Amino acid sequence: MTIRPITTPLGHSLPPHTPHALTVHLPGWDTFIRLRDGDQEIGKQLKSMYPRFSPLSCVKELGIKLLTHLSTAFPDSGISPTTHGCLPFTTPDAFHLAAAHCISHHRADEYRYSESEVSKVEFRVVEFWGVRLVSDSDAAANADGTATATDKARLYLVIYPLPKAKGIMGVWTNPGIGISTRLAEVLLPLVPSSDGSSPETGAETKQEQEQKQLKVLDWKAKGSDFISSTGTGSEEEIPEPTYLPESDAHEKLRKRIVALCQRIPRDVELAARLTTKDVFLYTTGMAAVFRLQEAFFKSGRRGPVVALGAVFHSTFHLFEELEGTTTTNEEEGEVEGFKHFGECEDSEKVMDQLEEYAKGLKQKGKKVGYLFVEFPSNPLLVSVDLGRLRKIADQYDFPVVVDDTVGSFCNLDVLPVADVVVSSLTKTFSGYADVMAGSVLLTPSSRYYPLLSSTLTTTHHNALSPSDAAHLLFNSSSYLARSHTHNLNAQKLASFLHTYSTTHQSPRVISRVLYPSIPSTTSSTTGTAYYQQYMRSSTAPAPTGPPYDEMEGNDSFTPGFGCLLSIDFLSKNVAKAFYDHLHVHQGPHLGAHLTITLPFNDLLWGVGERERKYHAGYGAVPEQVRVSVGLEEWEDLKEVFKEALKYAEEEAVKEGAC
C-alpha cells in the first residue's frame, strides 16, 4: 500500500479550514520545540492555533481593531496595535486575575512584571449595541412566551505592552474565559474603521447604521490599581457586565448531556434524578474547571486542592497558582495551596498516601478543599480506584471532581462516585475541532450538592455565545456514531502496537503502550479493571424515542476505551525518528475527526530541568508520543504506523551500534 503524505501546509489547521479552527499542523518533532522556545520563523507561519493558547483569527483581528479605535479616540493614551496587545473578556473579574497573574512569583524572572511595569497594563470597557447575537428562530422564550435577544454587549479589555506578553498571556490560557472566535466574528463589523466610518455601511439604511455603534466607557484603570498594596479602589467602580444571552441551543445542549448520562447508566435511580438544572455550560473545558474551583472557594472550601496523577497542563498550571498561601480576597479568606500525587499507576499505593495525607490534615483541624482526578488521565491513560477514593473522601469529608474528557460520558458513568463531573465538550463531544465549550455536571446524590448547586446557580452567568452553542449542538448529534469509530480504531491501534512491543525485540523500539485496555507493565494493580468498573453496559438495549432518535449511532454504539493512547519509546531519538516519519497530522488537540499526534511531554514539560524531572518521575517522559486516533479507515492507519516503526527501528539500530 502506498502511504499518502499529509498535504496540509505547516501552520494551517486540519481540513476543512475555517476561522474557528482549533488545530494546527506542525510537522516534525523539532518544529514544535522551536515554537515552544520562541522561534519567530515558526510563529510567522501560524495561520491557525488552539484559540485558548493566545488570541488568533477573529479574536486577534478584533483586538487590533479595538486598539486602533482606542488610539484614534484617545491619541494621548500611548495605546497602539503596534506596541500593545489586547485580551477581550465578557467578565470584569479578568482584570483582577490579570493583575495578580503578571506579578505572581510563579512567573519566571524575565517575564514577571515589576511594580512599575504592572502600571503599564491598562483596563478598558467597551460597549457594543445593536448586536444581534440570537436569531429570532433560536431565541430562548421568556415566561410570557416572547423571545429574548440582546442589543448590548460589554467587553472587558486587558491591554498590555507586547514585549511583556509572556508574563500575562497565562490569564488567557489557563482560566479559559476569553471570548470565542464566533463572538468576535459577530462584533468585528461593529468596530469603526480607522477613519471613523463603519466598514459595512454601503447597502444599509440610516437606521441600521445608527444601530451599529461602539462606545468606549468612561471607566479605565491600570493593573496597579488592582494590587492590594497600591490599589486605588477602581475595581469597585467597574461597569456591570451584560454577559451573553442564552438561546434555545443552550437548553437543548443541557438536555442532550442529561440524556447521554441517563443512557444505560450504572445507577438507574441516580441518573433518573438528573435535570438540566444540574448542567452548567462554559466557554471552554478550562473555564468549567476554573469556575467550579471558584465556586468551591466561595462556598467556603478553602483547604488544599489535591490532584491525582497526570492532569491536563493548563489544569496543572491553574492549580500551581495556589501553591503557597494565596489570598483570593479579604472577605473569602485564604486558599491553602495545592498538593499533587503524581505517581498513580499503583492505585493501592497512592490511595494509602492520600489517606495518610487527609488524616494528617484532620489532625491539624483542616481538610482537603476538593480533589481533582482525570479518569483516565491525559496523556498517561491511568485509571485510579474510584471506589476506594470515594470511601476516603467520605471518611475525611472532601468533594471528588472527576474529569471524564478522555474516556467521555458515552463510554463512562462516574456519577456514582463523583460529586462533580467536568468535561471538555471541545473534544470528542464536538468532534470536528471547530468550537470550544465545557460543562460542569452536579451529582444529585452528593452531600455537597445543595451548597454547590446554590453557589453555581447564583454565580453562573452565560459566556457561551449563541452561535457557539448552536454549532456545538449540530456537531454533537453525531457524537455516538463518531465515538464508536474512535473506540474501535484506538483499540485496534493500541493492540497492534502492544503486540509489536512484546514480540519485536531486535531491535526493541517501544517500551510500552498506554491505553485503558492494555494492562500496566509497571504495576501490580490494573487500571483496566478500574476503568471497566465504570463503563456503561455493552449488552443492555439502547434507549429509544426522543431525544435518542436525534442521536446518530444510538442503536449501534458500543462503549469502549476512548480515542487517546500514548507510546513510550526506548529513547527520545527513536521516538523522534518514528514521529518525523508518521504521516498523520501533528499538533495539539484530541477527539478530532482526523488522527493527531504530539510530543506532549517534551513540548509542555521539557523547558526547565526541574519541571521535566518532576513530571518524568511519574511517567510523563519526554520520549513519549501521544496519539488521538481519528475516524480514518483502520487499514490505512495501520499501514501508516507500520511505516513509521521502520524508521524507529533504523534509529534503534544506530543507537545500538554506538
Side-chain angles (χ1 to χ4, degrees):
M1 174 184 171
T2 302
I3 303 297
R4 288 177 293 180
I6 298 297
T7 58
T8 302
L10 187 152
H12 289 244
S13 70
L14 275 66
H17 178 74
T18 78
H20 312 296
L22 311 181
T23 56
V24 63
H25 178 51
L26 291 174
W29 190 294
D30 289 338
T31 306
F32 250 117
I33 303 307
R34 287 171 59 193
L35 178 65
R36 180 199 70 188
D37 295 342
D39 189 318
Q40 293 300 311
E41 289 305 310
I42 300 296
K44 289 176 183 177
Q45 297 181 66
L46 294 183
K47 304 300 181 185
S48 178
M49 178 55 86
Y50 203 73
R52 196 173 43 73
F53 290 173
S54 66
L56 287 171
S57 182
C58 303
V59 178
K60 183 178 180 180
E61 187 179 350
L62 178 65
I64 291 172
K65 289 190 71 173
L66 287 171
L67 290 173
T68 302
H69 181 72
L70 288 169
S71 67
T72 303
F74 306 97
D76 296 331
S77 66
I79 294 174
S80 163
T82 61
T83 57
H84 289 77
C86 177
L87 304 176
F89 302 85
T90 58
T91 56
D93 58 354
F95 293 158
H96 183 274
L97 288 169
H101 183 90
C102 64
I103 64 169
S104 169
H105 67 280
H106 293 291
R107 307 287 77 74
D109 292 342
E110 62 267 35
Y111 303 137
R112 188 184 309 125
Y113 283 57
S114 66
E115 192 168 305
S116 61
E117 287 172 331
V118 76
S119 67
K120 296 178 182 177
V121 176
E122 186 158 328
F123 302 141
R124 288 276 193 170
V125 184
V126 295
E127 183 176 279
F128 296 84
W129 68 95
V131 187
R132 200 65 180 168
L133 292 173
V134 185
S135 64
D136 290 336
S137 61
D138 196 36
N142 288 320
D144 62 0
T146 60
T148 62
T150 185
D151 64 351
K152 182 168 67 175
R154 284 179 178 169
L155 293 186
Y156 298 81
L157 310 182
V158 174
I159 301 169
Y160 60 91
L162 284 174
K164 298 292 290 186
K166 287 189 176 181
I168 202 168
M169 194 57 66
V171 78
W172 178 272
T173 303
N174 298 328
I177 58 173
I179 71 166
S180 74
T181 54
R182 283 187 177 81
L183 177 58
E185 185 177 51
V186 171
L187 299 179
L188 263 171
L190 306 185
V191 183
S193 60
S194 56
D195 62 2
S197 63
S198 172
E200 297 179 4
T201 59
E204 295 175 342
T205 66
K206 182 178 179 181
Q207 182 180 8
E208 288 172 330
Q209 292 178 26
E210 290 174 348
Q211 287 177 341
K212 286 193 168 183
Q213 295 187 41
L214 166 68
K215 179 181 180 182
V216 180
L217 301 191
D218 291 338
W219 183 94
K220 67 177 180 177
K222 297 185 180 298
S224 52
D225 296 333
F226 286 74
I227 300 172
S228 57
S229 59
T230 59
T232 62
S234 297
E235 66 270 25
E236 298 176 4
E237 306 162 5
I238 305 175
E240 289 292 318
T242 56
Y243 300 112
L244 298 179
E246 284 206 358
S247 65
D248 188 48
H250 288 77
E251 184 64 9
K252 287 181 177 179
L253 277 171
R254 286 189 284 262
K255 288 180 178 178
R256 178 165 291 169
I257 291 170
V258 168
L260 286 163
C261 290
Q262 292 174 335
R263 187 183 183 279
I264 315 178
R266 299 194 67 85
D267 186 329
V268 176
E269 292 184 5
L270 172 59
R273 293 171 60 184
L274 284 174
T275 72
T276 56
K277 292 182 179 180
D278 301 324
V279 181
F280 298 84
L281 299 175
Y282 297 91
T283 50
T284 64
M286 281 309 305
V289 174
F290 174 70
R291 292 304 186 192
L292 176 63
Q293 175 170 276
E294 188 178 61
F296 276 124
F297 294 163
K298 288 182 177 180
S299 65
R301 298 208 65 93
R302 293 184 287 272
V305 175
V306 175
L308 296 184
V311 293
F312 185 55
H313 66 100
S314 289
T315 307
F316 191 88
H317 292 318
L318 186 69
F319 294 161
E320 270 189 318
E321 295 294 320
L322 303 174
E323 285 183 340
T325 301
T326 304
T327 300
T328 53
N329 63 49
E330 293 181 2
E331 292 182 0
E332 294 175 9
E334 296 178 343
V335 179
E336 298 175 5
F338 169 46
K339 175 66 175 176
H340 182 229
F341 293 91
E343 173 55 62
C344 286
E345 274 202 78
D346 189 335
S347 192
E348 185 176 342
K349 180 180 178 181
V350 75
M351 290 303 159
D352 288 343
Q353 294 171 338
L354 174 63
E355 190 164 13
E356 281 300 308
Y357 176 74
K359 182 178 179 181
L361 285 178
K362 184 177 181 180
Q363 290 171 347
K364 297 176 184 177
K366 299 181 179 181
K367 61 180 68 174
V368 171
Y370 72 95
L371 181 141
F372 185 95
V373 61
E374 294 185 4
F375 190 85
S377 62
N378 173 18
L380 302 186
L381 287 305
V382 172
S383 302
V384 300
D385 184 352
L386 292 180
R388 185 169 176 205
L389 173 58
R390 180 72 265 164
K391 292 177 182 178
I392 296 171
D394 288 342
Q395 182 177 356
Y396 292 98
D397 185 22
F398 60 83
V400 173
V401 178
V402 178
D403 185 335
D404 71 349
T405 298
V406 171
S408 203
F409 42 68
C410 62
N411 295 314
L412 294 168
D413 180 10
V414 297
L415 278 175
V417 286
D419 296 289
V420 186
V421 180
V422 296
S423 302
S424 174
L425 305 178
T426 310
K427 308 303 192 297
T428 316
F429 185 78
S430 167
Y432 293 103
D434 60 359
V435 63
M436 296 193 298
S439 65
V440 166
L441 176 65
L442 302 183
T443 303
S445 61
S446 167
R447 71 169 77 174
Y448 310 103
Y449 178 86
L451 184 59
L452 276 176
S453 179
S454 174
T455 303
L456 282 172
T457 300
T458 302
T459 60
H460 179 272
H461 301 284
N462 182 53
L464 180 65
S465 79
S467 53
D468 285 311
H471 196 78
L472 182 61
L473 183 68
F474 174 80
N475 281 4
S476 61
S477 63
S478 62
Y479 169 57
L480 291 175
R482 287 183 285 100
S483 295
H484 183 71
T485 304
H486 281 306
N487 289 340
L488 290 177
N489 279 351
Q491 175 70 70
K492 289 177 180 177
L493 181 58
S495 298
F496 165 74
L497 293 170
H498 178 64
T499 299
Y500 172 88
S501 70
T502 55
T503 59
H504 194 94
Q505 299 295 319
S506 182
R508 193 172 179 220
V509 171
I510 296 175
S511 60
R512 62 174 184 162
V513 177
L514 295 83
Y515 190 65
S517 67
I518 305 295
S520 171
T521 59
T522 62
S523 172
S524 58
T525 60
T526 169
T528 301
Y530 297 138
Y531 183 100
Q532 288 174 326
Q533 287 178 7
Y534 299 97
M535 285 181 72
R536 297 183 187 274
S537 172
S538 59
T539 59
T544 57
Y548 299 103
D549 51 11
E550 300 173 0
M551 301 179 189
E552 181 185 342
N554 175 59
D555 294 338
S556 57
F557 177 76
T558 301
F561 295 92
C563 69
L564 196 70
L565 61 92
S566 293
I567 313 164
D568 283 359
F569 289 86
L570 265 293
S571 73
K572 188 171 169 180
N573 284 338
V574 172
K576 288 176 66 175
F578 169 84
Y579 188 86
D580 290 346
H581 293 89
L582 185 63
H583 293 287
V584 297
H585 284 88
Q586 299 180 340
H589 196 50
L590 66 91
H593 51 297
L594 298 175
T595 296
I596 312 174
T597 57
L598 185 68
F600 188 92
N601 300 323
D602 198 33
L603 172 67
L604 297 169
W605 308 126
V607 179
E609 183 68 12
R610 179 175 172 271
E611 185 177 58
R612 184 190 66 77
K613 285 186 174 180
Y614 175 77
H615 293 286
Y618 63 83
V621 293
E623 59 270 21
Q624 183 181 100
V625 173
R626 191 186 78 170
V627 183
S628 171
V629 185
L631 306 178
E632 299 94 337
E633 292 294 328
W634 158 241
E635 290 299 329
D636 292 344
L637 279 176
K638 181 180 177 181
E639 291 303 315
V640 166
F641 277 79
K642 282 176 67 176
E643 177 76 6
L645 286 170
K646 294 177 183 178
Y647 291 91
E649 291 169 11
E650 290 177 6
E651 181 61 34
V653 170
K654 291 178 186 177
E655 288 192 347
C658 295

